């Protein structure tokens, strides 16, 4: 591993206590074995940790510096070691939580920690670059390089009530992981400014006369400033349980000056906003109103500043409790004085509501965008027949709020009169037909997390617990199964059936035809019967392809929150269930199991070279694996995997050949001997295609997911198991005796106690033969076999024959070595008493590959 990449994976640690502390690691040049495995392990732990704090309500209680990295403790009692083997702790950096000053190894630096963002939207947290710490200078609005060295470029920084871990992913690329350090901590806020941008020209005028007005803002005096209602924005918070509505929200510019507006957050729940404070999905609507500081005399310039003598809109960031949480991208763009003079009375025919669906309980109805832009104030009334119907049903209005009791569920034929006072001081009104929900909306609940692996399933089961069996009777009776949907706010979730955005940024996952409710016995359940304990969701999997809106294939993995929503016949939401789903990459073992009969031994494959030809050849066995079965009994895949090989090129220069498509024996056989016997083999199989949608045109681009597994293969020549054994009175020994005639006697025995085994034998497994011309003749014969092979001193003529040759090692005493006639044995000439050596028997198969067996001898 190179030094640069190693430094990218050495961790820092932030100590969360009365002071904030983070640690930078020293620089090391040592290679780290199994580094990819450890980084993958860290990725898995981080994914689990993020899931706990984003959907489970947990938070970080402590971060400690430990050998190799960090230990993160969580409020539920669990902890995670995010470490790399062999990486020691480094220098300590402390952020004083009172003053914010940063100290390194006890020495104050004079720099102070900041927790906001730069005018370009970058975090102002300190970071490491080129081996030095960089700190943000509020005076110059830029990062400055300090004199303090910090070798590692991974670190962690306390930011308000959260800690931001800067940790490399499995590819060594830095990533930011934000975790809360209290149950009420906000770790992320994603907002979508579409109405608060340049070019919106917020309308305003001065009232030309006094106006008597029954709305909330009361009567209007001549000359009074009348401002059109600003469109709302949306925001999503992490964790989803964070109550944005209870916080102080402001818009601030890059100089820290607060805009003269109030920002209010209300929980976004489908097509309406309920009277509940929290948003179970983490989605919020942001409304803005100008303060009394804004008057008719300054509204045209209250949100601008002079740039080269020209009024330019000020760009603001959204701050939560004084902490900037977004980039500087919000603009309050009002009409100029001349533009305001062109405003005319609103055409009442165009008056409308953003949604006519009304939930049971108290809801707030909103004007549609066009109406709101010209409306200074508005309120609702019931008139004519609708007034009588509303009184009979107990339905009331107050301003733009409407209250519908449970007894008025599904009331038909009710119209509400929308009264507006526009910015010119004119009053207009219009009747709008309402759709009353068939049942009250119950609280959103979250079920136990579900884990799935892409391509191993095309449906998964969600344990509903008692959520649907304990449904309110009114909801159960009014729920329309055909309106049930499953959605996700994350476009990266792989199970999309459509790339078309619906509702408030949700993407369609499956229609009701893909959702099946099940009873305890597995039979079909119904919502009305309140007997559903499971929901089976079928994914979009057609033609062996999944569909995703993710632009990067890697983004389909992770944890996603799906929302299962019950609706009534009118489409009003009745019940939401959040389903956390973790999607992971399939593994090789999900598809294949090693065939126990294929020659495996503790994960190592032993295989004898095919010597059926007269040149070295190798063919991978066809039955190494059995294909696993799906639940329906069909195979997970239709074929065995392909293979690539890594081996030493022994016959040439001993260099390594990586991921070769085949084994070339001319490279690994030298002088007839197989010099390389251990190979690394990678089994690989493309298992599924993900249809990734990219770009505005949603043009499809196929991306294939593969599974692979590496193992060691040991190759051996055909006769590799043969060995020499010398018996003395039935006892096998490792030294053969040479008699006075220079002969090592061949094996003799009659298998009785009177005449036990004696002499030299050639063994192959459980079989053995005498080393003699009787057992090893001059030509191959079906009568002379060992281990299924015909043995002789002649050249092999087929894959069933083996040539046996006799010699001694170069260092051994004696002269020529010959196999004597008959049953005599092996003769070694020129030996004197006390001399010895090593007898070498060479076996050559039809492919020309040799193996040897040896035994010592002594006269």
């Amino acid at each position: 591993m190179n030094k640069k990449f190693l430094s990218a994976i050495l961790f820092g640690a932030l100590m969360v206590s009365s002071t904030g502390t983070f640690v930078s690691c020293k620089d090391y040049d040592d290679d780290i074995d199994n580094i990819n495995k450890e980084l993958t392990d860290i990725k898995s732990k981080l994914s689990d940790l993020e899931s706990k704090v984003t959907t489970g309500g947990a938070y970080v209680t402590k971060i400690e510096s430990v050998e190799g990295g960090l230990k993160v403790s969580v409020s539920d009692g669990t902890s995670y070691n995010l470490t790399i083997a062999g990486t020691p702790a480094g220098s300590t950096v402390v952020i004083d939580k009172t003053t914010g000053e940063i100290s390194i190894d006890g020495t104050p630096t004079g720099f102070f920690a900041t927790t906001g963002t730069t005018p370009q939207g970058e975090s102002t947290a300190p970071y490491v670059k080129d081996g030095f710490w960089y700190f943000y200078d509020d005076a110059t609005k830029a990062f400055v390089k300090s004199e303090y060295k910090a070798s590692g470029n991974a670190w962690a920084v306390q930011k308000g009530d959260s800690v931001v871990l800067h940790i490399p992913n499995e590819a060594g690329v830095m990533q930011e992981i934000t975790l809360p350090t209290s149950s009420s901590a906000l770790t992320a806020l994603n907002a979508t400014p579409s109405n608060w941008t340049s070019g919106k020209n917020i309308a305003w005028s001065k009232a030309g006369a006094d106006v008597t007005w029954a709305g909330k803002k009361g009567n209007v005096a001549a000359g009074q400033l009348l401002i059109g209602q600003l469109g709302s924005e949306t925001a999503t918070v992490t964790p989803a349980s964070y109550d944005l509505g209870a916080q102080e929200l402001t818009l601030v510019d890059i100089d820290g000056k607060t805009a003269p507006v109030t920002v209010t957050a209300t929980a976004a729940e489908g097509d309406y906003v309920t009277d509940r404070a929290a948003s179970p999905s983490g989605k919020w609507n942001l409304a803005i109103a100008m303060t009394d500081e804004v008057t008719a005399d300054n509204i045209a310039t209250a949100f601008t500043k002079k740039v080269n003598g020209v009024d330019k809109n000020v760009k603001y960031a959204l701050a939560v409790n004084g902490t900037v949480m977004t980039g500087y991208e919000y603009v309050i763009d009002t009409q100029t004085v001349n533009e305001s003079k062109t405003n005319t009375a609103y055409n009442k025919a165009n008056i409308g509501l953003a949604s006519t669906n009304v939930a049971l309980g108290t809801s707030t109805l909103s004007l549609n965008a066009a109406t709101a832009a010209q409306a200074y104030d508005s309120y609702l009334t019931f008139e004519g027949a609708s007034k009588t119907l509303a009184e009979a049903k107990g339905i009331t209005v107050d301003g733009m709020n409407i209250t519908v009791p449970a007894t008025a569920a599904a009331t038909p034929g009710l119209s509400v009169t929308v009264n507006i006072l526009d910015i010119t001081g004119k009053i207009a009104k219009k009747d709008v037909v309402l759709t009353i929900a068939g049942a009250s909306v119950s609280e959103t609940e979250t079920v136990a997390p579900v884990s799935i692996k892409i391509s191993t399933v095309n449906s998964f089961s969600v344990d509903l617990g008692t959520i649907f069996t304990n449904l309110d009777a009114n909801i159960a009776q009014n729920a329309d199964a055909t309106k049930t949907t499953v959605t996700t706010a994350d476009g990266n979730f792989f199970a999309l059936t459509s790339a078309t955005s619906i509702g408030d940024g949700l993407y369609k996952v499956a229609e009701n035809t893909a959702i099946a409710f099940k009873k305890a016995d597995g039979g079909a359940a119904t919502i009305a019967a309140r007997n559903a304990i499971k929901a089976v969701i079928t994914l979009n999997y057609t033609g062996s392809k999944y569909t995703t809106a993710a632009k990067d294939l890697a983004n389909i993995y992770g944890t996603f929150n799906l929302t299962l929503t019950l609706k009534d016949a009118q489409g009003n939401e009745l019940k939401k269930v959040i389903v956390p789903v973790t999607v992971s990459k399939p593994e090789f073992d999900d598809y294949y199991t090693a065939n126990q009969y294929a020659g495996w031994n503790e994960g190592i494959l032993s295989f004898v070279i095919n010597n059926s030809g007269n040149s070295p050849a190798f063919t991978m066995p066809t039955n190494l694996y059995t294909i696993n079965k799906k639940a329906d009994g069909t195979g997970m895949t239709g074929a065995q995997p392909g293979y690539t090989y890594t081996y030493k090129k022994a016959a040439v220069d001993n260099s390594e050949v990586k991921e070769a498509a085949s084994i070339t024996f001319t490279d690994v056989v030298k002088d007839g001997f197989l010099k390389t016997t251990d190979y690394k083999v990678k089994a690989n199989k493309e298992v599924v295609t993900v249809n990734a949608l990219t770009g505005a045109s949603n043009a499809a681009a196929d991306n294939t997911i593969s599974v692979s597994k590496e193992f060691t293969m040991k190759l051996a020549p055909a006769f590799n198991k043969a060995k020499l054994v010398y018996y003395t009175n039935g006892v096998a020994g490792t030294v053969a005796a040479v008699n006075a005639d220079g002969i090592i006697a061949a094996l003799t025995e009659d298998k009785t106690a009177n005449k036990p085994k004696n002499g030299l034998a050639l063994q192959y497994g459980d079989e053995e033969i005498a080393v003699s011309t009787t057992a090893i003749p001059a030509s191959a014969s079906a009568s002379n076999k060992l281990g299924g092979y015909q043995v002789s001193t002649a050249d092999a003529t087929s894959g069933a024959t083996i040539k046996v040759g006799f010699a001694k090692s170069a260092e051994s005493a004696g002269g020529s070595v010959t196999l004597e006639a008959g049953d005599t044995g092996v003769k070694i000439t020129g030996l004197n008493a006390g001399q010895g050596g090593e007898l070498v028997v060479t076996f050559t198969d039809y492919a020309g590959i040799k193996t040897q067996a040896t035994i010592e001898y002594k006269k």
Side-chain angles (χ1 to χ4, degrees):
M1 175 178 298
N2 62 51
K3 178 179 176 181
K4 181 178 179 181
F5 181 73
L6 179 59
S7 71
I9 59 172
L10 301 180
F11 291 106
L14 172 65
M15 311 298 294
V16 182
S17 57
S18 60
T19 59
T21 304
F22 55 99
V23 175
S24 163
C25 294
K26 304 294 185 184
D27 206 354
Y28 292 87
D29 295 323
D30 297 340
D31 287 347
I32 300 177
D33 293 335
N34 301 319
I35 195 68
N36 290 333
K37 178 178 182 298
E38 295 190 30
L39 286 172
T40 301
D41 179 57
I42 290 174
K43 175 186 177 183
S44 175
K45 290 178 180 178
L46 283 172
S47 177
D48 186 51
L49 179 57
E50 286 186 280
S51 177
K52 281 188 178 182
V53 301
T54 56
T55 62
Y59 55 92
V60 174
T61 57
K62 187 178 184 181
I63 297 183
E64 302 169 80
S65 176
V66 296
E67 182 177 355
L70 307 175
K71 177 181 178 182
V72 181
S73 298
V74 186
S75 58
D76 64 359
T78 59
S79 62
Y80 298 82
N81 283 332
L82 309 175
T83 59
I84 295 292
T87 305
S91 57
T92 302
V93 181
V94 177
I95 301 176
D96 189 292
K97 292 184 71 174
T98 302
T99 66
E101 185 170 12
I102 302 170
S103 298
I104 299 180
D105 289 334
T107 302
T109 64
F111 290 98
F112 292 80
T114 58
T115 58
T117 57
T118 70
Q120 294 74 34
E122 300 172 323
S123 171
T124 55
Y127 64 87
V128 175
K129 179 182 178 183
D130 302 326
F132 288 87
W133 284 100
Y134 281 68
F135 302 104
Y136 189 71
D137 186 357
D138 280 325
T140 61
K141 305 293 184 186
F143 281 96
V144 295
K145 179 180 180 180
S146 77
E147 61 186 88
Y148 301 99
K149 291 185 177 181
S151 300
N153 63 348
W155 64 94
V157 177
Q158 185 167 343
K159 187 176 182 180
D161 290 327
S162 62
V163 56
V164 182
L165 305 179
H166 299 253
I167 293 179
N169 62 18
E170 70 275 17
V173 179
M174 294 302 296
Q175 60 180 329
E176 293 186 11
I177 307 296
T178 304
L179 306 171
T181 56
S182 71
S183 59
S184 60
L186 173 65
T187 61
L189 184 149
N190 294 318
T192 56
S194 57
N195 290 310
W196 305 347
T197 58
S198 294
K200 292 301 179 181
N201 286 351
I202 298 169
W204 62 275
S205 295
K206 296 180 183 179
D210 294 344
V211 180
T212 301
W213 176 245
K216 293 289 186 180
K217 294 182 179 180
N219 296 334
V220 171
Q224 181 177 329
L225 174 64
L226 304 179
I227 306 172
Q229 298 177 23
L230 283 68
S232 65
E233 299 292 353
T234 60
T236 303
V237 296
T238 302
S241 58
Y242 185 79
D243 188 357
L244 189 63
Q247 315 308 315
E248 179 186 7
L249 305 180
T250 54
L251 294 180
V252 296
D253 64 18
I254 59 175
D255 297 320
K257 183 180 178 181
T258 302
V261 297
T262 59
V263 183
T264 306
T266 52
E269 292 291 323
D271 295 331
Y272 53 84
V273 178
T274 70
D275 57 357
R276 290 174 290 178
S279 171
S281 65
K283 289 182 173 296
W284 295 82
N285 289 328
L286 304 178
I288 190 172
M290 297 181 187
T291 67
D292 293 340
E293 295 178 48
V294 180
T295 66
D297 295 326
N298 67 11
I299 185 173
T301 58
F303 304 96
T304 66
K305 66 178 180 179
K306 295 285 187 182
V307 178
N308 296 326
V310 179
D311 287 326
K312 297 289 186 180
N313 289 318
V314 174
K315 291 186 177 181
Y316 298 98
L318 181 63
V320 180
N321 299 326
T323 299
V324 173
M325 296 299 297
T326 71
Y328 292 85
E329 49 193 349
Y330 293 93
V331 171
I332 309 300
D333 189 8
T334 62
Q335 289 180 332
T336 65
V337 173
N338 288 335
E339 288 172 335
S340 71
K341 294 177 180 179
T342 65
N343 294 322
T344 58
Y346 195 72
N347 184 347
K348 68 177 183 179
N350 295 328
I351 295 175
L353 296 172
S355 174
T356 58
N357 292 333
V358 180
L360 301 187
T362 299
S363 302
T364 300
L365 301 185
S366 302
L367 300 175
N368 60 27
T371 307
Q374 294 292 104
Y376 164 70
D377 195 17
S378 62
Y379 66 93
L380 305 173
T381 56
F382 288 117
E383 299 180 6
S386 286
K387 181 178 181 180
T388 303
L389 178 59
E391 290 178 356
K393 294 292 186 178
I395 301 173
T396 60
V397 289
D398 179 18
M400 293 300 292
N401 294 329
I402 181 169
T403 301
V404 181
T407 54
T411 296
L414 181 66
S415 294
V416 69
T417 301
V418 181
N419 303 270
I420 70 166
L421 174 60
D422 69 28
I423 57 174
T424 68
K426 303 299 182 181
I427 296 175
K429 62 182 182 179
K430 181 182 179 181
D431 292 339
V432 177
V433 178
L434 300 178
T435 300
I436 307 299
S440 60
V441 179
S442 63
E443 294 291 331
T444 298
E445 298 185 58
T446 301
V447 298
V450 178
S451 295
I452 62 175
K453 288 185 177 181
I454 187 170
S455 80
T456 61
V457 294
N458 60 3
S459 65
F460 59 92
S461 180
V462 177
D463 186 355
L464 298 173
T466 60
I467 292 176
F468 278 44
T469 57
N470 289 340
L471 273 179
D472 177 82
N474 193 30
I475 292 178
Q477 289 301 313
N478 285 279
D480 186 339
T482 64
K483 302 292 185 179
T484 305
T485 59
V486 175
T487 54
T488 174
D490 196 317
N492 285 337
F493 187 71
F494 72 87
L496 305 181
T497 58
S498 172
T500 303
S501 179
I502 60 173
D504 52 355
L506 299 179
Y507 284 86
K508 192 179 299 182
V509 175
E511 298 292 357
N512 59 81
T513 54
I515 306 170
F517 293 102
K518 300 291 184 180
K519 297 186 296 185
D521 60 6
T526 62
I527 305 302
R530 293 188 288 187
N531 56 3
I533 65 165
K534 288 186 178 181
V536 178
I537 299 175
T538 300
L539 309 180
N540 178 35
Y541 183 76
T542 59
S544 299
K545 292 183 180 181
Y546 285 92
T547 302
T548 177
K551 292 180 173 61
D552 187 339
L553 192 63
N555 291 339
I556 66 175
Y557 306 117
T559 299
F560 308 89
N561 282 338
L562 308 188
T563 304
L564 190 157
T565 306
L566 289 183
K567 297 181 180 180
D568 62 17
Q570 291 76 38
N572 294 304
E573 297 174 355
L574 304 177
K575 178 72 178 179
K576 283 186 175 180
V577 178
I578 305 299
V579 184
V581 179
T582 298
V583 182
S584 59
K585 186 180 185 299
E587 304 294 336
F588 186 87
D589 292 343
D590 294 323
Y591 285 83
Y592 299 100
T593 299
N595 183 358
Q596 61 177 319
Y597 304 112
W600 295 99
N601 182 16
E602 297 184 354
I604 296 176
L605 176 67
S606 296
F607 187 70
V608 176
I609 298 172
N610 179 0
N611 66 341
S612 59
N614 59 2
S615 61
F618 168 74
T619 303
M620 179 63 79
T622 58
N623 63 340
L624 289 189
Y625 297 98
T626 57
I627 299 173
N628 298 338
K629 302 292 186 183
K630 297 179 183 178
D632 61 5
T634 60
M636 291 294 299
T637 184
Q640 288 282 324
Y643 303 95
T644 56
Y645 311 92
T646 298
Y647 62 90
K648 294 289 186 180
K649 205 170 184 180
V652 182
D653 56 7
N654 207 39
S655 62
E656 188 173 53
V657 178
K658 294 183 177 180
E659 296 193 7
S662 62
I663 296 175
T664 304
F665 282 117
T666 55
D667 286 338
V668 298
V669 176
K670 187 173 184 179
D671 299 328
F673 288 96
L674 183 64
K675 295 296 184 179
T676 303
T677 57
D678 287 11
Y679 301 81
K680 293 296 183 183
V681 183
K682 182 178 181 181
N684 184 78
K685 177 66 176 178
E686 294 181 352
V687 293
V688 70
T689 298
V690 175
N691 196 23
L693 302 177
T694 58
S697 64
N698 291 332
D702 290 344
N703 295 275
T704 302
I705 295 175
S706 299
V707 294
S708 63
K709 189 183 189 76
E710 291 190 349
F711 59 87
T712 298
M713 179 179 67
K714 290 184 176 294
L715 285 182
F719 215 62
N720 70 96
K721 294 182 180 180
K723 65 179 181 178
L724 293 170
V725 179
Y726 185 81
Y727 288 98
T728 303
N729 294 324
V731 178
T734 57
V735 179
V738 181
N739 64 23
D741 297 328
I743 294 175
I744 302 174
L747 175 67
T748 60
E749 66 168 325
D750 66 1
K751 298 182 180 180
T752 69
N754 294 328
K755 193 176 182 181
K757 293 180 180 180
N758 280 284
L760 186 62
L762 183 60
Q763 281 188 350
Y764 190 99
D766 295 332
E767 300 180 30
E768 60 186 12
I769 59 175
V771 179
S772 66
T773 56
T774 301
I776 308 173
S779 59
S781 168
S783 302
N784 300 91
K785 286 186 175 183
L786 180 62
Y789 292 92
Q790 297 179 29
V791 293
S792 71
T793 57
D795 290 341
T797 57
S798 70
T801 59
I802 295 291
K803 178 183 179 179
V804 184
F806 296 88
K808 64 179 180 62
S809 65
E811 299 83 5
S812 299
S816 62
V817 179
T818 58
L819 186 61
E820 296 293 282
D823 296 323
T824 304
V826 178
K827 184 175 182 178
I828 303 172
T829 63
L831 274 182
N832 296 321
Q835 290 183 322
E838 183 181 57
L839 177 65
V840 180
V841 179
T842 301
F843 310 102
T844 307
D845 65 17
Y846 186 49
I849 299 177
K850 301 175 181 180
T851 52
Q852 292 179 328
T854 63
I855 192 169
E856 292 186 7
Y857 60 84
K858 188 173 184 180
K859 187 173 182 179

